[in-house]
Amino acid sequence: MAFDYDLFVIGGGSGGVRAARVASGDHGARVGLAEESRMGGTCVIRGCVPKKLMVYASEYPGAIADARAYGWDVKDGGFDWLKFRGRLWSELDRLEAAYRNTLKNAKVTVHDTRAEIVDAHSVRLATGETITSQHILIATGGHPVVPDIPGAELGVTSDAMFNLDRLPGKALIVGGGYIASEFACILNGMGVKVTQFYRGAQILRGFDDEARGHVSTAMQAAGIRIHCGTNPLRLEKVDWGIQVTASDGSTEVYDLVLWATGRAPNTKGLGLEKTGVQIGRRGEIVVDDYSQTAVPSIFAVGDVTDRVNLTPVAIREGHAFADTVFGANPRKADHELVASAVFTQPEMGAVGLSEEAARECGPVEIYTASFRPMQSLFAGREDRVLMKLVVCAKTRRVLGCHIVGPGAGEMIQMVAIAVKMGATKEDFDRTVAVHPTMAEELVTMRKPVRVA
């Protein structure tokens, strides 16, 4: 059978675009790609990139205050949200154009429309056209989840945060993950009065307990009201805003309510139920180590598979898929020891096991350093940095590293190389410190604070 394409990709996010580019540009496959929204996907258009730019914008009040402490004659001015938003939109347009040029240069045919799978080798576009392909790759990502409570439609999700017409005076963030915590810090830095509800005992579940406790304490010291063990029960529109009734019995009115209560894979409406592709209990597409589904011609990468939901991981999965299927180089994407960063204020970086997870594997030694960094200490701020190493007591291998402080994301990227290589505590000890830096503490901690 003659197919229209060797590969048809559904989804123009980071994973899908990488797979399409490599399959076509590097391996010579005939590739088509369908994207119903903007090219670049969640990360570029409504996630990581615009959010990080908002993080930068929200940090300037602190930088201005520090500048005065360092002798600069500077004065605070008002934050022009609309001016910032305009620059933000322009940057997203630039990035989308770059993604499109990448596909064009790789000779990928782009279809700006929704696609639905008909069978193992056929895709129907929303335009009515049916396309055949030897292989199909699903890279549709995920979407924010909104709780099923009365008045939930009065709230917004993270997708809408970059398009607000004005900043709220008072906001409620619902959720305790990295998206909720990052937006709580962003809005707080921009002068919004922020309250955060989380149903669990502590925000940032899944990260090291000591590290996330450090972040929570700093967020509250900055003025963010964090209410753990609390859920909204209903939302009601009133003349002066959105009235929220909470599970702790309180009632309060906010200008904005942000739902950051998790994300779910985009698998509905793709026609998968007709193909034999297996769907997991969370709505994710079930794949093997090579991203292949139960249907041999259909593959999936990225958040739609709900493995490690990070953009660089989706890119690795897409690249590995293209090399495996079209490059005669079978390889798996490596999901072990993936570093991550949470762009709260203070920032947190992590790689490897938390102290709690490591204890379940055997005896461990814990090394920590907590201190006031030079830059903010001089400015008179009370900020504290946390550096933490989790070490296997038997092999001496560093099982995990957790950093809370300015530049934690930048530092953890480099530490991840050492941890990935299997570095031991003694390897860290043999490394000469760079002084004066915060990161030097990672190689100067000599005695464990506890052994478990």
Side-chain angles (χ1 to χ4, degrees):
M1 176 181 177
F3 296 105
D4 297 322
Y5 293 106
D6 301 314
L7 170 65
F8 195 86
V9 180
I10 303 177
S14 299
V17 168
R18 174 60 66 91
R21 179 183 69 76
V22 174
S24 180
D26 292 0
H27 303 312
R30 296 171 301 142
V31 180
L33 182 148
E35 171 55 56
E36 65 176 320
S37 183
R38 298 184 64 179
M39 199 67 65
T42 294
C43 181
V44 173
I45 302 300
R46 51 192 173 274
C48 325
V49 172
K51 183 180 63 180
K52 188 65 181 292
L53 291 171
M54 287 183 74
V55 169
Y56 289 142
S58 70
E59 291 176 336
Y60 279 102
I64 292 169
D66 284 357
R68 283 197 292 266
Y70 274 83
W72 289 93
D73 183 15
V74 293
K75 295 179 175 60
D76 292 341
F79 175 58
D80 189 335
W81 164 255
L82 292 180
K83 180 179 180 180
F84 168 77
R85 191 187 70 173
R87 292 289 301 271
L88 177 65
W89 285 358
S90 295
E91 177 63 7
L92 299 185
D93 289 343
R94 184 190 71 80
L95 290 171
E96 182 180 12
Y99 265 65
R100 288 186 177 276
N101 285 335
T102 293
L103 292 171
K104 180 181 179 181
N105 293 338
K107 296 181 169 53
V108 175
T109 302
V110 174
H111 301 266
D112 289 299
T113 186
R114 181 174 176 79
E116 177 183 332
I117 296 176
V118 177
D119 57 39
H121 295 286
S122 303
V123 171
R124 182 181 298 113
L125 304 182
T127 58
E129 181 183 4
T130 297
I131 291 173
T132 61
S133 181
Q134 185 176 7
H135 300 92
I136 297 171
L137 176 68
I138 303 169
T140 48
H143 63 274
V145 173
V146 175
D148 183 16
I149 64 171
E153 70 280 359
L154 297 173
V156 300
T157 68
S158 57
D159 290 354
M161 292 301 291
F162 315 108
N163 302 315
L164 296 175
D165 290 330
R166 63 181 182 276
L167 285 177
K170 188 177 179 182
L172 171 65
I173 313 295
V174 183
Y178 68 92
I179 295 175
S181 301
E182 287 171 342
F183 272 114
C185 293
I186 288 169
L187 292 178
N188 182 67
M190 291 179 174
V192 178
K193 294 180 180 178
V194 177
T195 300
Q196 183 175 356
F197 283 1
Y198 178 50
R199 63 183 181 181
Q202 179 60 284
I203 62 170
L204 297 172
R205 181 173 63 87
F207 289 92
D208 182 85
D209 281 355
E210 187 174 12
R212 63 190 182 129
H214 192 107
V215 172
S216 176
T217 298
M219 287 173 62
Q220 292 178 80
I224 298 171
R225 298 192 305 164
I226 298 177
H227 295 271
C228 291
T230 306
N231 273 329
L233 298 180
R234 64 178 179 274
L235 277 60
E236 300 171 85
K237 181 64 178 174
V238 295
D239 291 341
W240 53 95
I242 303 169
Q243 182 171 280
V244 179
T245 301
S247 57
D248 62 3
S250 65
T251 299
E252 197 162 348
V253 176
Y254 301 91
D255 300 310
L256 178 140
V257 175
L258 169 63
W259 300 118
T261 47
R263 296 178 64 85
N266 284 327
T267 50
K268 291 184 178 180
L270 288 177
L272 297 176
E273 64 280 354
K274 299 175 292 188
T275 64
V277 170
Q278 184 181 352
I279 303 297
R281 62 181 180 85
R282 300 180 302 277
E284 77 279 12
I285 295 177
V286 178
V287 294
D288 65 12
D289 290 343
Y290 294 95
S291 297
Q292 188 173 39
T293 72
V295 179
S297 60
I298 300 178
F299 296 74
V301 298
D303 289 7
V304 75
T305 66
D306 201 25
R307 288 178 281 182
V308 178
N309 294 338
L310 295 170
T311 297
V313 174
I315 291 172
R316 288 291 183 96
E317 290 171 356
H319 202 137
F321 154 79
D323 286 347
T324 297
V325 176
F326 299 102
N329 178 26
R331 65 187 186 89
K332 307 172 185 177
D334 189 351
H335 296 99
E336 297 297 321
L337 294 174
V338 176
S340 61
V342 181
F343 297 107
T344 44
Q345 297 169 29
E347 201 169 291
M348 178 167 68
V351 64
L353 298 179
S354 66
E355 177 180 345
E356 296 72 39
R359 283 176 175 177
E360 296 180 1
C361 301
V364 292
E365 293 181 356
I366 306 300
Y367 297 79
T368 65
S370 181
F371 55 94
R372 294 172 67 189
M374 178 189 296
Q375 184 177 12
S376 56
L377 174 64
F378 183 86
R381 287 195 275 126
E382 296 295 324
D383 300 11
R384 296 193 69 84
V385 168
L386 172 69
M387 302 281 182
K388 181 172 184 177
L389 295 178
V390 180
V391 178
C392 176
K394 293 182 180 179
T395 66
R396 307 298 300 153
R397 183 172 177 173
V398 177
L399 302 177
C401 178
H402 310 275
I403 302 172
V404 179
E410 303 290 347
M411 285 186 273
I412 206 65
Q413 178 68 88
M414 304 311 296
V415 177
I417 298 172
V419 174
K420 189 75 172 176
M421 292 176 68
T424 64
K425 180 62 173 64
E426 285 65 37
D427 290 326
F428 275 65
D429 293 343
R430 281 192 292 270
T431 303
V432 177
V434 178
H435 181 76
T437 66
M438 291 183 293
E440 68 180 294
E441 296 291 336
L442 291 168
V443 299
T444 59
M445 296 183 283
R446 290 293 184 262
K447 295 182 179 181
V449 296
R450 55 187 171 274
V451 178

